[in-house]
Amino acid sequence: MPDTLKITLAQMNQSVGDLAGNAAAMLAARDRAKGADLIAFPELQLIGYPPEDLILKPALIERAAAELDKLAQATNSDGPAMLVGSVFVRDGALHNGVALLDGGRVAATRFKHELPNYGTFDEMRLFQPGPLPEPIIVRGTMIGVPICEDIWQPEVCRHLADFGAEIFVCINGSPYEIDKDTLRIDGVAKRRAVDTGLPLAYLNRVGGQDELVFDGASFVVNGDGGLAVQMKDWEEQEVETRWTKTAKGWRCDRGEIAPLADHPEDIYCAMVMALRDYVDRNRFPGVVLGMSGGIDSAICAAIAADALGPDRVWPVMLPSRFTSQESLDDAAECARLLGCKHDIIPIQPAVAGFDEMLADSFADKAVDITEENLQSRIRGTTLMALSNKFGHMLMTTGNKSEMSVGYATIYGDMAGGYNPIKDAYKMTVFSISKWRNQHKPKIGLGRDGPVIPENIIVKPPSAELRPDQKDSDSLPPYEVLDPILLGLVEHEKSVDQLVSEGFDRPTVVRIERLLHLAEYKRRQAPPGVKLGTRNFGRDRRYPITHSFRTA
């Protein structure tokens, strides 16, 4: 029996449905890990995670089996065994599982036992739970391979330990949420390690997939709960971990402890990575966005420049007669700081055309929000025309505070393909804007130094759809609004609970009403990266039509 072991943890990105591409990347990683005994890959690395209903296609399942066989054959050559996450059919049941590939064959398979069915996850819709797994033997060592959710409950790890597991290698597709890295290590992995006395390698994927983004941040904890290895967040990385068998069992030798992104850099990196993979995987040459001279469009342009490079970002100012010279100047200066192309397309000719076209129909009606929304919809149509003509994806720029209360124009500023700040409240937008002016993210492709003019950050927010308009004319100050929304959305609190915490009752009642009324708008909003625990879409799924209010 060997008393040393080398396990390479391959923290990789994935492309959902690109089986050949994912397989080729794994083979290349195996070639780089020649000295290891085992190389492990994240959950469903062959398929891509989450596959959603794509996994129900028989053709995909057949091709996955064929690609897995090819990978198995490759292990007939010198190099490590492979732990590959894929999908498997057994007795007519579909399983999320992992295969040990060694010696030119599929040496073992194990299936996920605990299927998450909350928040962003609906694996019970797609998979059947596997039986409680037993360890697999790798180079004479008993290794338990719990899959993601399997370590969030104690049963699987205890069962594996009872059946002789000496090391846990847990493969994961764990989406980013604020502060989740601490929860993974302290709240879950260390508990399982200490409970069983066994070391645990936690391997997570990295990269964006539609509204989810994965931060990597893989790690190893020993049986005493001590952190032995911390891999980087927000980057692909392959790390060879070295293990020694002692009188008390296996221990991982001390390796690199990479620093993880502090707050709010973690949020900013999530936005950058999610947008980058969304744009690149959907083969857009770049993005186009409306640049209003306000903070939301400015931070979205900065995120895009860091995700794609300034030359792939096209801000367009679409002034109306209500647009101030201050906004024109701020937008131009922001584009200059970012190093992006910047165009100005006045919308007044189209506004005049609509006024004339609708004059008879609106003859008996006073000017109201309809005319304000027409301006927004003209801008949306103009930007979509640029997108159609040049191929750039139209990026929307509405924050979560606005989306919560419907302070956005459907078919206007909500029109587009992706929104990087969809799950960021307005106060978060201010926070990351100030941070970005002082720091460049470690995965950023944009310029060093300040990228948002200070005036954009400090001036009162305004949609500029009527004379002297301010957001505060229609909404409470964001310092008040955002905590109310956090209570209503993230924590599902009632009006009475929030009033007991010191908020004004009429204000809370009004905000709850607006929140529910705007549900139909949010159903038609573009996707955007999930940052917190209750994003609109994957987490919070409310009916459009309902009459319940807590007031």
Side-chain angles (χ1 to χ4, degrees):
M1 295 280 289
D3 58 5
T4 61
L5 199 64
K6 296 178 181 178
I7 302 175
T8 294
L9 302 178
Q11 178 175 289
M12 299 176 70
N13 208 328
Q14 308 165 351
S15 181
V16 170
D18 183 7
L19 280 67
N22 292 336
M26 284 189 279
L27 286 177
R30 181 179 185 267
D31 287 342
R32 292 189 291 271
K34 284 293 187 184
D37 298 294
L38 175 69
I39 182 169
F41 300 96
E43 181 177 9
L44 286 182
Q45 183 68 35
L46 183 58
I47 305 294
Y49 187 83
E52 301 186 76
D53 283 6
L54 188 66
I55 205 70
L56 301 179
K57 281 193 169 294
L60 183 139
I61 296 168
E62 293 169 7
R63 292 182 191 177
E67 289 291 343
L68 190 70
D69 284 342
K70 292 178 185 176
L71 287 172
Q73 292 167 23
T75 63
N76 210 22
S77 62
D78 290 340
M82 303 171 73
L83 271 181
V84 176
S86 187
V87 62
F88 302 87
V89 177
R90 293 292 186 274
D91 300 323
L94 192 62
H95 295 283
N96 177 347
V98 61
L100 173 66
L101 311 181
D102 198 14
R105 65 190 181 93
V106 178
T109 56
R110 296 292 184 268
F111 304 141
K112 191 172 184 176
H113 179 71
E114 301 284 355
L115 299 181
N117 213 58
Y118 55 87
T120 63
F121 306 106
D122 51 6
E123 289 197 27
M124 289 185 184
R125 169 186 171 86
L126 305 173
F127 301 111
Q128 293 294 316
L132 282 167
E134 296 181 8
I136 59 177
I137 301 175
V138 179
R139 306 293 190 264
T141 301
M142 299 280 277
I143 294 182
V145 285
I147 300 173
C148 202
E149 190 75 11
D150 285 343
I151 70 165
W152 289 73
Q153 304 296 329
E155 186 178 20
V156 170
C157 287
R158 286 176 182 170
H159 178 84
L160 286 164
D162 289 344
F163 275 77
E166 300 171 89
I167 295 170
F168 294 132
V169 177
C170 180
I171 63 171
N172 296 267
S174 179
Y176 166 80
E177 289 178 7
I178 296 168
D179 295 329
K180 196 172 184 181
D181 50 358
T182 301
L183 177 61
R184 293 181 192 129
I185 296 175
D186 296 333
V188 179
K190 286 185 178 180
R191 287 186 180 184
R192 300 297 161 256
V194 171
D195 283 350
T196 59
L198 300 180
L200 186 150
Y202 182 102
L203 175 61
N204 193 25
R205 70 156 294 195
V206 69
Q209 173 58 31
D210 293 346
E211 292 184 287
L212 299 181
V213 67
F214 301 82
D215 53 329
S218 306
F219 59 88
V220 180
V221 292
N222 277 313
D224 58 4
L227 185 66
V229 175
Q230 175 64 71
M231 294 172 65
K232 297 176 182 179
D233 54 357
W234 307 114
E235 297 180 45
E236 290 188 295
Q237 189 183 16
E238 295 159 20
V239 170
E240 182 181 272
T241 59
R242 298 174 180 237
W243 302 72
T244 303
K245 192 169 187 179
T246 71
K248 296 183 179 180
W250 286 93
R251 285 186 62 84
C252 181
D253 297 348
R254 177 81 172 187
E256 179 187 6
I257 306 295
L260 301 182
D262 289 329
H263 190 73
E265 183 180 10
D266 59 334
I267 293 177
Y268 195 87
C269 286
M271 295 171 173
V272 166
M273 178 162 282
L275 181 65
R276 178 183 296 162
D277 281 352
Y278 190 86
V279 171
D280 288 345
R281 294 247 168 87
N282 287 291
R283 298 179 176 84
F284 291 105
V287 297
V288 61
L289 72 154
M291 180 74 96
S292 68
I295 193 168
D296 293 334
S297 60
I299 192 61
C300 284
I303 292 165
D306 282 322
L308 308 171
D311 59 324
R312 297 177 64 191
V313 181
W314 184 10
V316 180
M317 172 49 121
L318 300 134
S320 73
R321 64 189 179 92
F322 302 117
T323 303
S324 66
Q325 186 61 48
E326 179 184 36
S327 292
L328 285 163
D329 294 342
D330 286 342
E333 177 63 7
C334 187
R336 187 192 69 80
L337 291 173
L338 289 166
C340 297
K341 171 186 177 182
H342 173 59
D343 285 335
I344 300 175
I345 303 176
I347 66 168
Q348 194 54 42
V351 173
F354 270 94
D355 287 344
E356 180 181 354
M357 185 176 71
L358 293 167
D360 290 342
S361 298
F362 289 179
D364 298 330
K365 299 290 184 180
V367 172
D368 57 16
I369 195 172
T370 305
E371 284 74 14
E372 294 181 27
N373 287 337
L374 268 175
Q375 297 170 65
S376 180
R377 291 181 177 126
I378 288 166
R379 291 185 171 116
T381 299
T382 304
L383 290 167
M384 199 66 230
L386 296 175
S387 174
N388 285 165
K389 184 64 71 175
F390 298 99
H392 288 55
M393 184 196 77
L394 174 54
M395 190 169 70
T396 64
T397 62
N399 62 70
K400 190 171 185 177
S401 304
E402 295 172 347
M403 293 303 300
S404 296
V405 296
Y407 196 67
T409 304
I410 195 166
Y411 321 124
D413 57 341
M414 288 175 61
Y418 201 83
N419 180 354
I421 63 169
K422 180 180 179 180
D423 201 31
Y425 289 106
K426 189 74 169 191
M427 297 308 296
T428 301
V429 170
F430 283 116
S431 174
I432 61 174
S433 298
K434 294 173 183 175
W435 177 87
R436 180 57 183 91
N437 270 359
Q438 298 173 0
H439 308 85
K440 180 179 174 180
K442 55 186 176 182
I443 61 170
L445 303 178
R447 289 183 167 183
D448 295 328
V451 293
I452 300 174
E454 183 66 17
N455 190 55
I456 286 180
I457 297 175
V458 301
K459 70 183 179 182
S462 171
E464 291 194 323
L465 297 173
R466 63 175 183 264
D468 301 319
Q469 185 180 23
K470 299 289 185 292
D471 288 7
S472 55
D473 298 339
S474 305
L475 300 172
Y478 288 110
E479 295 86 347
V480 175
L481 176 62
D482 284 2
I484 292 173
L485 291 173
L486 279 167
L488 293 172
V489 177
E490 260 69 18
H491 303 296
E492 295 288 0
K493 292 182 178 179
S494 69
V495 168
D496 287 345
Q497 286 176 296
L498 289 170
V499 171
S500 71
E501 294 173 9
F503 293 101
D504 174 66
R505 175 175 287 275
T507 300
V508 179
V509 169
R510 175 171 172 256
I511 297 307
E512 185 193 50
R513 175 179 173 273
L514 292 174
L515 174 67
H516 290 311
L517 288 177
E519 188 64 40
Y520 85 99
K521 287 187 178 182
R522 291 190 292 270
R523 288 287 185 95
Q524 301 177 69
V529 60
K530 168 184 164 66
L531 303 172
T533 58
R534 293 281 285 170
N535 77 321
F536 293 126
R538 295 190 68 96
D539 289 321
R540 187 182 183 277
R541 309 178 195 182
Y542 264 62
I544 295 173
T545 307
H546 74 92
S547 301
F548 182 75
R549 303 290 185 270
T550 64

